[in-house]
Amino acid sequence: MRQTVQIPLSDVRPDPGQPRKSKPVEYIQELSGVIRNLRHNGGNISPIEVRPDPENSGKFIILKGECRYLAHITDDRLKGEGWIEAFVVETKRESKDIFMDQISENVNRLDMGIVETIQSYGRAIELGATVEELAETLGKPVHILSSDLTILKLPEPIQKAIEGKTMPVSVAKEIANEPNDARMMKAFAKVMTAKSAKDMMRKLQAWRDQDSQKTLDQVFATVDVPPDELKAAGKKFDKLAKAFELYARESKDKGGLVVKARSGKVRYIEELAAEMVKQGNILLENAKLYREYTASGRKEEKAA
């Protein structure tokens, strides 16, 4: 069993990389009262976890329990007592592992805002965590976590609307499918006049339908597309086609063997297969649109 120690409050500081940036004042005040009562009545208080501060000998940085620390330093009585109970973790750990533990603790103890939570996921990935590792730590399916991460693509005004609960997450994720910030902001402006998520989705689809002919002209009226861009798109498709043709030819009816051979990457296989289906459907839809677009053009030429 790990031993706890009483550490002077002056020897402890928060981790500047802590995923939770917002600290609800009401929650901190309530926590102060709980800690005071437990101390007075001899109850058990969950110790914070700290690690030695590499920049200051004899000092410590909080790993887990920043809200409990804030409850001590913002309460006159607890601050006057001058100490906090803690576990000291001496083992060195990778930054990504520390950060993922902090995310897990924050989500389990007190929900962070949806955007702040997803931003912490993105930070964990920047530190070297994979989506699969993060999903396992949080107990979330990979496809849901991947869907959540699309929120990070959205411009700041949309993210603020999500935090302010005027933009449903489901609608925001749909807007994130737009190709750039300008389109996302246009979609945002169109849907914000609606009063429900369902109506927002309807307005978004109506706007897309209305804009579809312009999009077709931009995509298929190739006289306005730089030749280098067209050439690059063609090369990308040729590369994809060759790789898929080879896989289809060599692995026909052997999907089970593929999964068995890479059984340690089943989640990745699922994600990759889903993405292949998604991209295939996009190509099919655009091929259909192109047929309709060119057929319409031929009819106009004959009529003329």
Side-chain angles (χ1 to χ4, degrees):
M1 185 177 177
R2 294 188 298 175
Q3 296 295 314
T4 63
V5 294
Q6 291 183 358
I7 298 178
L9 290 170
S10 57
D11 290 345
V12 180
R13 69 181 176 97
D15 184 345
Q18 161 69 235
R20 180 189 291 278
K21 302 304 179 186
S22 59
K23 306 335 189 268
V25 175
E26 298 82 1
Y27 175 71
I28 300 298
Q29 291 174 341
E30 182 182 342
L31 195 54
S32 296
V34 170
I35 293 171
R36 284 199 312 270
N37 289 334
L38 286 172
R39 277 195 184 174
H40 179 74
N41 296 311
N44 293 321
I45 303 168
S46 297
I48 66 171
E49 286 190 15
V50 298
R51 61 183 172 91
D53 188 339
E55 299 176 4
N56 299 288
S57 179
K59 306 287 187 179
F60 302 91
I61 296 176
I62 297 170
L63 288 172
K64 296 181 182 180
E66 184 176 342
C67 284
R68 278 164 280 166
Y69 166 76
L70 292 174
H72 280 72
I73 65 171
T74 56
D75 181 86
D76 290 341
R77 179 174 165 182
L78 294 174
K79 186 176 181 180
E81 291 175 355
W83 58 271
I84 190 168
E85 203 165 14
F87 292 122
V88 179
V89 179
E90 300 285 355
T91 306
K92 289 186 178 180
R93 303 175 64 206
E94 290 188 23
S95 297
K96 70 166 186 176
D97 295 325
I98 291 172
F99 194 76
M100 286 199 294
D101 279 353
Q102 290 174 333
I103 294 173
S104 181
E105 191 210 21
N106 275 302
V107 170
N108 289 332
R109 286 187 176 272
L110 180 68
D111 284 347
M112 293 190 287
I114 180 66
V115 173
E116 187 176 28
T117 298
I118 295 171
Q119 286 172 342
S120 72
Y121 298 166
R123 176 61 179 152
I125 290 170
E126 288 176 2
L127 291 171
T130 65
V131 174
E132 289 77 14
E133 287 174 332
L134 192 55
E136 186 174 353
T137 297
L138 299 170
K140 297 185 77 167
V142 173
H143 71 278
I144 291 178
L145 186 60
S146 297
S147 175
D148 289 344
L149 287 167
T150 62
I151 295 295
L152 298 180
K153 295 165 53 180
L154 294 166
E156 186 178 349
I158 305 179
Q159 292 189 13
K160 285 185 176 180
I162 297 170
E163 286 286 19
K165 298 183 178 179
T166 58
M167 167 60 65
V169 174
S170 59
V171 180
K173 288 181 179 180
E174 187 60 36
I175 290 175
N177 289 324
E178 294 298 327
N180 53 54
D181 285 4
R183 289 275 305 177
M184 290 179 198
M185 288 305 297
K186 283 183 179 179
F188 177 56
K190 291 292 180 182
V191 305
M192 287 306 288
T193 55
K195 295 183 178 180
S196 68
K198 190 174 181 180
D199 286 342
M200 284 182 172
M201 287 293 198
R202 285 174 178 166
K203 279 184 174 288
L204 180 59
Q205 189 56 52
W207 172 69
R208 284 174 172 168
D209 290 343
Q210 186 178 18
D211 204 50
S212 63
Q213 187 58 48
K214 294 179 184 177
T215 303
L216 287 175
D217 289 339
Q218 290 168 358
V219 172
F220 299 134
T222 54
V223 291
D224 296 327
V225 180
D228 289 347
E229 190 174 330
L230 273 178
K231 188 175 180 181
K235 283 185 175 181
K236 286 179 182 178
F237 175 76
D238 291 343
K239 187 176 180 180
L240 169 66
K242 285 181 181 179
F244 189 75
E245 284 173 3
L246 177 63
Y247 172 80
R249 184 169 61 249
E250 298 294 331
S251 300
K252 189 175 182 181
D253 300 324
K254 295 180 181 178
L257 291 179
V258 171
V259 172
K260 185 174 182 180
R262 293 292 182 266
S263 58
K265 296 183 177 180
V266 172
R267 284 184 176 177
Y268 176 69
I269 290 172
E270 292 172 338
E271 292 291 321
L272 181 61
E275 185 62 27
M276 290 168 67
V277 171
K278 177 182 175 182
Q279 294 303 324
N281 286 333
I282 290 172
L283 285 171
L284 285 171
E285 181 62 24
N286 278 277
K288 178 183 176 183
L289 290 172
Y290 182 72
R291 287 181 182 277
E292 293 172 354
Y293 181 80
T294 54
S296 174
R298 284 196 296 271
K299 287 177 182 177
E300 289 175 5
E301 288 173 6
K302 287 179 182 179

